[in-house]
């Protein structure tokens, strides 16, 4: 009986040790809440906190953009773009003058489904999310289906 208790305690301590070793970084994602909003009322924006790996294999900014395009984890929040939208490319051009992020989304982003934001709102929130979490990015160039749809500069 004591061996079973001792093994259980050891397993609990070992699992706690493993979970504390995994390093993650906290990111804030902002999505609109599902609900009826009149023209006079603006849609409520809700923050969602996620912990992502510090050193992901695809790169920190690419992981963030992938997660952002996938949409919220909370069921009562709207995705920024239509379901099925994917990231075709994402890279950061860093220079002494400024850091520019280039992101290309699939054409599915243009289609407005009932559950997603309208395209202008989605683009605006997409850029806000990036600026909030990556202060070093000074310009964002967003492509949808190979066409530039937005250039944001700080």
């Amino acid at each position: 009986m004591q061996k079973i208790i001792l093994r259980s305690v050891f397993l609990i301590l070992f699992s706690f040790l493993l979970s504390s070793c995994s390093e993650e970084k906290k990111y804030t994602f902002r999505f609109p809440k599902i609900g009826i909003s009149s023209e006079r009322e603006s849609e409520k924006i809700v923050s969602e906190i996620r912990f992502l790996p510090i050193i992901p294999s695809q790169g920190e900014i690419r992981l963030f953009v992938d997660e952002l395009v996938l949409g919220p984890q909370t069921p009562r929040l709207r995705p920024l773009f239509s379901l099925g939208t994917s990231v075709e490319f994402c890279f950061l051009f860093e220079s002494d003058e400024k850091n520019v992020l280039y992101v290309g989304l699939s054409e599915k982003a243009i289609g407005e489904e009932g559950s997603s934001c309208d395209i202008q709102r989605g683009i605006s929130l997409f850029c806000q999310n990036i600026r909030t979490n990556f202060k070093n990015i000074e310009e964002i160039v967003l492509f949808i289906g190979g066409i530039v749809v937005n250039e944001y500069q700080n």
Side-chain angles (χ1 to χ4, degrees):
M1 185 70 165
Q2 284 183 335
K3 275 188 166 183
I4 294 173
I5 293 173
L6 188 59
R7 284 183 184 167
S8 299
V9 168
F10 176 74
L11 283 174
I12 291 170
L13 288 173
F14 184 71
S15 64
F16 177 74
L17 178 66
L18 280 179
S19 67
S20 65
C21 289
S22 64
E23 295 184 38
E24 295 180 328
K25 188 173 178 182
K26 180 179 171 181
Y27 293 95
T28 303
F29 291 80
R30 300 181 69 213
F31 296 100
K33 189 171 185 176
I34 293 176
I36 301 170
S37 60
S38 67
E39 290 178 19
R40 287 177 273 141
E41 281 184 48
S42 62
E43 204 168 28
K44 185 175 181 181
I45 304 299
V46 178
S47 293
E48 185 177 87
I49 303 298
R50 292 190 201 169
F51 293 92
L52 303 176
I54 288 180
I55 306 173
S57 59
Q58 70 269 51
E60 185 179 6
I61 187 71
R62 174 64 188 247
L63 176 63
F64 180 84
V65 169
D66 284 341
E67 289 286 320
L68 187 58
V69 169
L70 281 174
Q73 293 178 337
T74 308
R76 298 293 302 162
L77 301 180
R78 291 180 187 274
L80 301 182
F81 303 105
S82 298
L83 297 177
T85 300
S86 61
V87 180
E88 294 178 343
F89 61 86
C90 176
F91 61 92
L92 181 62
F93 176 75
E94 297 176 282
S95 71
D96 294 337
E97 296 171 18
K98 63 182 173 181
N99 297 331
V100 182
L101 178 66
Y102 296 91
V103 179
L105 302 180
S106 63
E107 280 191 47
K108 279 232 171 191
I110 296 172
E112 293 180 24
E113 292 182 1
S115 63
S116 65
C117 293
D118 68 272
I119 191 70
Q120 288 301 321
R121 185 74 169 141
I123 290 170
S124 173
L125 282 170
F126 180 82
C127 293
Q128 284 177 19
N129 274 293
I130 292 171
R131 288 192 313 267
T132 300
N133 289 281
F134 297 92
K135 305 280 188 216
N136 64 323
I137 295 176
E138 295 153 17
E139 186 176 344
I140 301 167
V141 181
L142 180 63
F143 296 80
I144 296 180
I147 299 169
V148 176
V149 293
N150 184 52
E151 278 190 64
Y152 171 80
Q153 295 181 3
N154 271 345

